[in-house]
Amino acid sequence: MKGKVIIVSAPSGAGKTSIVRHVLEFLPELRFSTSATTRAKREGEVDGRDYHFLSVEDFKEGIRNDDFLEWEEVYANQFYGTLKSEIQRIWDEGKTVIFDVDVKGGLNIKKYFGDDAMAIFIEPPSIQELENRLRNRGTETEESLHKRLEKAEYEMTFAPQFDKTILNDDLDVARAEMLQTVRDFLNQE
Ligand code: 5GP
């Protein structure tokens, strides 16, 4: 069975995860595709819900077994990938898949699913604001913060390739726009 997919990509710290959680809460026909990653678990994260946390060896084994629809080494030695089995499981339930993936991964998934996919880019107001948010979140070291900011500037250049860009200046406005965008897509034939 095949269904629709929604892809949400953004530079780290743009507020993507919070926006994705919001639509998941309001649209019961959506299911989150839990990615696999080799990065360390953050406080409050649950294995199997937020990510499937794997060792680098197990992740590489998954690559060899062709378990991933796409994967990226998003940061040095930090692998992230979309498991084919997640998508099939969600479609078998008759639900629509929602992905929270990096910009390159998002565009790869869009290319793969074509018109069955809606690719949404969440745009932060500015790099300065992104830095403030990442600092406030307190999950990064100075080094990983700089890596994320550098990557963010690069990722912003891909925004025009997405089906839709949502500016996250005001979180409530961005959430509402996201909800409307996804509803419209789901209602399309
Ligand atoms: P974080 O470490 O902040 O959870 O995620 C870092 C980046 O990796 C984010 O941009 C997130 O969307 C991305 N990411 C998460 N899962 C996947 C995946 O399955 N594939 C790809 N390509 N990127 C992912």
Side-chain angles (χ1 to χ4, degrees):
M1 169 164 188
K2 203 165 170 284
K4 290 185 176 182
V5 310
I6 291 154
I7 303 154
V8 187
S9 296
S12 176
K16 171 182 46 161
T17 304
S18 143
I19 291 172
V20 168
R21 287 210 181 119
H22 183 76
V23 277
L24 276 166
E25 205 176 299
F26 280 87
L27 300 176
E29 58 270 61
L30 298 184
R31 285 284 180 279
F32 182 66
S33 163
T34 304
S35 295
T37 185
T38 63
R39 80 143 160 78
K41 204 193 301 176
R42 289 183 195 141
E43 207 178 305
E45 286 184 329
V46 176
D47 189 24
R49 184 194 68 185
D50 299 288
Y51 282 105
H52 298 287
F53 292 97
L54 301 183
S55 64
V56 174
E57 295 75 58
D58 286 349
F59 197 100
K60 288 186 172 166
E61 169 90 23
I63 297 172
R64 281 194 295 275
N65 291 341
D66 202 22
D67 290 342
F68 295 106
L69 172 68
E70 61 78 36
W71 62 270
E72 298 278 338
E73 188 172 3
V74 177
Y75 305 102
N77 234 6
Q78 291 189 5
F79 293 84
Y80 294 79
T82 304
L83 291 159
K84 292 178 182 168
S85 55
E86 281 288 306
I87 302 163
Q88 199 53 56
R89 180 180 63 77
I90 294 169
W91 281 348
D92 287 348
E93 279 183 59
K95 305 285 184 185
T96 296
V97 188
I98 183 163
F99 299 99
D100 169 342
V101 291
D102 87 322
V103 170
K104 266 202 221 156
L107 290 174
N108 282 337
I109 296 172
K110 169 69 189 175
K111 217 180 284 164
Y112 187 84
F113 290 111
D115 288 344
D116 291 329
M118 171 88 185
I120 301 167
F121 186 90
I122 309 290
E123 189 186 358
S126 64
I127 291 286
Q128 183 56 52
E129 179 57 24
L130 204 61
E131 179 170 349
N132 298 343
R133 287 182 192 175
L134 281 171
R135 282 195 192 281
N136 288 339
R137 193 165 85 178
T139 54
E140 307 308 317
T141 62
E142 202 58 29
E143 193 198 340
S144 72
L145 185 110
H146 281 285
K147 267 203 275 179
R148 281 178 187 247
L149 286 177
E150 229 170 70
K151 189 170 157 78
E153 276 190 75
Y154 170 69
E155 287 182 326
M156 302 266 262
T157 65
F158 290 90
Q161 297 182 44
F162 282 74
D163 296 318
K164 167 96 185 162
T165 296
I166 294 176
L167 175 68
N168 184 14
D169 195 356
D170 175 318
L171 186 58
D172 288 335
V173 174
R175 281 173 166 172
E177 195 179 349
M178 175 77 175
L179 205 52
Q180 195 54 51
T181 302
V182 174
R183 278 198 176 119
D184 289 346
F185 175 66
L186 293 178
N187 289 335
Q188 273 170 25
E189 275 315 302

